[in-house]
Amino acid sequence: MYEWVAKAAEGEISKVVIQNQEGFNILKRGKEQEGQLTVEASHILICHQAVQGCASNRTKDEALQLANELFDQATAKNFSELAKENSDDTGSKEKGGVLGPFHKGVTVPEFEEAAFAAEVGQIIGPVESQFGLHIIYKTGQDTQKEYEVTRILIKKMTETD
């Protein structure tokens, strides 16, 4: 449905009935407005003994030294490989540190503040959070559109109806 809404003009009514899991939809596109700012970023996480759940036995000083070394080495071309080789974030490590798009309120405040303040293409860090030290590569930023939509839903009939 979102695809139709994003392409439709204000006041346009869907000429084709749009089907989803609920049933059949007839839509009327209303006003468009700017939505939330979204950032895309990758990171390398270096944790240490003081971080709960960290599997590494490195001290905070050793973690900071490693994070600074990685920051000095990091470029747009090698960031993914550095993340795969060094990151302690098991959720993003295999994806080269890619976190995907996120908006404010999703990540820890220290990470969020740094990621939103950085310029697209900039590598920053180390940024300390409760999870350890982050090297952050901001790869994108966008403001999503929000649309006012009026919908008529024709529910699917089931055998129990």
Side-chain angles (χ1 to χ4, degrees):
M1 282 194 291
Y2 184 82
E3 289 177 24
W4 179 86
V5 172
K7 292 177 183 175
E10 185 175 333
E12 188 175 339
I13 297 173
S14 61
K15 292 174 180 50
V16 176
V17 175
I18 300 167
Q19 186 174 353
N20 67 4
Q21 66 276 9
E22 295 176 282
F24 303 93
N25 298 271
I26 301 170
L27 306 176
K28 180 178 180 182
R29 160 82 145 64
K31 294 183 183 194
E32 175 182 306
Q33 63 187 27
E34 294 296 319
Q36 290 186 332
L37 179 64
T38 303
V39 162
E40 290 184 42
S42 297
H43 82 139
I44 301 169
L45 174 65
I46 305 300
C47 67
H48 50 80
Q49 294 169 337
V51 173
Q52 186 175 10
C54 179
S56 173
N57 61 1
R58 63 176 83 89
T59 66
K60 186 173 180 179
D61 287 341
E62 290 169 337
L64 182 58
Q65 182 179 349
L66 176 58
N68 281 320
E69 288 172 10
L70 292 169
F71 174 74
D72 290 342
Q73 294 174 34
T75 66
K77 285 186 175 186
N78 71 4
F79 196 91
S80 178
E81 202 56 42
L82 286 175
K84 287 177 183 178
E85 293 171 3
N86 297 282
S87 185
D88 292 321
D89 179 0
T90 56
S92 69
K93 179 177 184 160
E94 295 305 315
K95 298 183 285 184
V98 174
L99 298 171
F102 57 92
H103 54 81
K104 288 191 175 183
V106 173
T107 63
V108 292
E110 304 86 354
F111 187 95
E112 176 182 294
E113 186 177 311
F116 276 82
E119 298 292 324
V120 173
Q122 186 177 14
I123 297 173
I124 58 172
V127 174
E128 188 173 2
S129 79
Q130 68 196 45
F131 299 107
L133 300 159
H134 306 265
I135 310 302
I136 304 168
Y137 174 32
K138 185 172 181 176
T139 56
Q141 179 172 300
D142 192 19
T143 302
Q144 301 296 313
K145 301 282 185 198
E146 292 181 357
Y147 303 96
E148 194 176 81
V149 178
T150 304
R151 172 177 88 147
I152 297 172
L153 171 64
I154 303 162
K155 289 191 172 189
K156 290 181 182 178
M157 295 294 291
T158 62
E159 292 182 27
T160 58
D161 288 340

